[in-house]
Amino acid sequence: MKSAFPFLGLTLLMAVSACDSKKQDAVENAYENKAAAIDNMADNLQNKADNVSAAVDNQVDVLKNKADAVRDAGEAAKDRADNAK
């Protein structure tokens, strides 16, 4: 019977540590899931920022083209006015 007590104590210790391990795993999984969610949110924000940047770049190009067209039209009108003198 004396040899059964250490075995029983060891079994109880393993059972308690297994419960703690399960709780620890659950907590770790919960935090890993939260971290993954935050990473996904960061990725989504980065993608949105990239899309906004691309849209702004496109608008800048459109405005530059319009400015070039107005400048060219102004220079052509000036040339016509100079030649009419």
Side-chain angles (χ1 to χ4, degrees):
M1 194 69 170
K2 283 186 174 182
S3 64
F5 285 121
F7 179 73
L8 181 62
L10 183 60
T11 304
L12 286 173
L13 181 61
M14 289 175 58
V16 169
S17 67
C19 289
D20 288 343
S21 178
K22 288 179 184 177
K23 287 180 184 177
Q24 182 179 358
D25 287 345
V27 169
E28 286 177 7
N29 287 339
Y31 281 112
E32 286 174 2
N33 290 340
K34 286 183 181 182
I38 291 170
D39 284 343
N40 288 337
M41 288 176 13
D43 289 342
N44 288 338
L45 285 174
Q46 184 63 51
N47 289 337
K48 287 179 182 180
D50 292 344
N51 290 340
V52 168
S53 176
V56 168
D57 287 343
N58 289 339
Q59 287 298 317
V60 167
D61 290 342
V62 167
L63 291 173
K64 282 182 180 180
N65 290 339
K66 286 182 180 181
D68 289 344
V70 168
R71 188 176 299 111
D72 292 344
E75 288 174 0
K78 180 183 177 285
D79 290 343
R80 282 193 305 274
D82 288 344
N83 289 336
K85 289 183 183 177

